[in-house]
């Protein structure tokens, strides 16, 4: 609760708040249940409260927290990919059928579901990464009843990705792949779709067009409307 107090004193006014910790919000060793009343009190005035959790920890504690809030509870979970071969290699240990059960339960309880989807997960090529990201968006909206699909370009930085890269089993996605999956999600409908733009400049390979392409992604995030691709005579984007 003191961490939230500290943040609220410094952040500008907003109607939505995310409480992302280094683990799962509903892990009692991370966020003690006895802190829920004070946390909920601090969140009075927010129309939407978004927390992150492992799907297996979503249950009675989520209902308890929901009942204390004045606004809508939204829980973010890492779906990552519906490519079951890749999931097995990543050792996720959460089968897709388990995600479906969690999604149905959350919908019944009136809790919104936000899904994280990896753009070009390890062990995927650029083409297969694009294909499976699109299928993951379909799964999130059609099978899980998700209200949000957050598209996360897979990044290095944790040691494991660097090792996979040395083995030729991982490479960050191209900017065009993120653009195409966001475009697909917005045009197919079913929920809000956002491209994660943190360190997005690292995906850019053309200094001539990447600022305009970044601005396009930001605009689509904010408006939730598709806009035409940026044509670049240097890198020939988009590909014909």
């Amino acid at each position: 609760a003191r961490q939230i107090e500290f943040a609220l004193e410094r952040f500008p006014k907003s109607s939505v708040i995310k409480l992302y910790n280094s683990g799962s919000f509903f892990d009692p060793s991370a966020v003690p249940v006895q802190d829920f009343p004070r946390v909920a009190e601090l969140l009075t005035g927010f129309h939407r409260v978004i927390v992150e959790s492992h799907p297996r920890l979503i249950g009675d504690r989520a209902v308890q927290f929901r009942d204390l809030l004045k606004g809508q509870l939204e829980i973010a979970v890492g779906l990552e990919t519906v490519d079951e071969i890749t999931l097995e290699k990543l050792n996720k240990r959460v089968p897709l059928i388990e995600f479906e059960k969690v999604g149905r339960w959350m919908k019944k309880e009136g809790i919104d579901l936000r899904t994280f989807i990896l753009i070009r997960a390890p062990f995927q090529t650029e083409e297969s990464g694009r294909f499976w990201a699109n299928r993951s968006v379909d799964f999130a909206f059609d099978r899980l009843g998700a209200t949000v699909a957050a598209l996360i370009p897979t990044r290095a930085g944790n040691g494991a990705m660097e090792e996979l890269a040395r083995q030729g089993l991982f490479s960050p996605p191209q900017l065009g792949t993120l653009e195409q999956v966001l475009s697909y999600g917005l045009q197919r409908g079913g929920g809000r779709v956002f491209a994660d733009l943190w360190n997005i400049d690292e995906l850019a390979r053309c200094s001539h067009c990447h600022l305009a392409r970044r601005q396009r992604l930001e605009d689509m995030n904010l408006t939730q409307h598709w806009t035409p691709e940026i044509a670049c005579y240097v890198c020939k984007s988009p590909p014909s």
Side-chain angles (χ1 to χ4, degrees):
R2 286 194 297 272
Q3 295 179 39
I4 297 171
E5 289 174 345
F6 180 89
L8 292 178
E9 289 171 357
R10 290 158 177 78
F11 288 170
K13 295 292 184 182
S14 174
S15 62
V16 178
I17 188 168
K18 292 180 182 178
L19 303 177
Y20 286 3
N21 56 326
S22 60
S24 294
F25 188 86
F26 297 112
D27 178 355
S29 64
V31 181
V33 175
Q34 57 266 31
D35 281 6
F36 281 5
R38 177 55 181 155
V39 169
E41 182 184 5
L42 289 167
L43 301 178
T44 300
F46 288 99
H47 298 309
R48 181 172 295 271
V49 176
I50 307 167
V51 301
E52 184 177 10
S53 180
H54 190 283
R56 288 181 177 169
L57 294 172
I58 298 173
D60 292 343
R61 287 188 291 273
V63 172
Q64 182 178 351
F65 187 60
R66 177 207 65 189
D67 290 346
L68 292 168
L69 294 173
K70 299 292 192 295
Q72 174 66 40
L73 176 60
E74 180 177 303
I75 303 176
V77 301
L79 173 61
E80 301 190 348
T81 181
V82 294
D83 176 5
E84 295 189 82
I85 295 176
T86 295
L87 279 178
E88 184 175 350
K89 291 178 179 178
L90 292 174
N91 198 27
K92 289 304 295 181
R93 300 180 182 176
V94 182
L96 296 178
I97 191 171
E98 191 168 333
F99 273 107
E100 289 190 74
K101 290 178 181 178
V102 170
R104 288 194 297 268
W105 181 86
M106 289 177 60
K107 188 171 185 178
K108 177 175 69 72
E109 294 292 339
I111 300 171
D112 287 348
L113 171 62
R114 172 179 293 240
T115 54
F116 296 131
I117 294 171
L118 294 180
I119 305 300
R120 190 175 179 182
F123 311 104
Q124 294 177 345
T125 65
E126 202 71 36
E127 183 178 359
S128 68
R130 185 180 307 124
F131 173 84
W132 284 113
N134 288 339
R135 298 295 74 75
S136 299
V137 171
D138 293 338
F139 185 87
F141 291 141
D142 298 339
R143 302 284 290 275
L144 302 183
T147 56
V148 173
L151 311 177
I152 316 292
T154 308
R155 306 178 178 99
N158 63 358
M161 292 300 165
E162 285 82 353
E163 179 57 33
L164 288 173
R166 283 191 287 271
Q167 299 175 42
L169 299 174
F170 165 72
S171 182
Q174 297 174 10
L175 182 57
T177 295
L178 178 62
E179 291 173 315
Q180 289 175 18
V181 178
L182 177 61
S183 295
Y184 172 80
L186 291 177
Q187 292 181 92
R188 64 140 279 159
R192 290 168 290 152
V193 188
F194 300 106
D196 183 354
L197 302 183
W198 183 74
N199 279 6
I200 193 67
D201 293 339
E202 294 181 4
L203 305 184
R205 301 182 180 180
C206 177
S207 60
H208 183 78
C209 67
H210 86 271
L211 291 179
R213 293 167 72 183
R214 179 193 175 104
Q215 186 62 54
R216 173 176 176 257
L217 291 172
E218 290 181 352
D219 291 343
M220 290 197 293
N221 277 347
L222 291 170
T223 65
Q224 290 295 289
H225 292 295
W226 177 84
T227 58
E229 294 88 348
I230 303 296
C232 179
Y233 69 89
V234 175
C235 67
K236 309 302 181 186
S237 174
S240 57

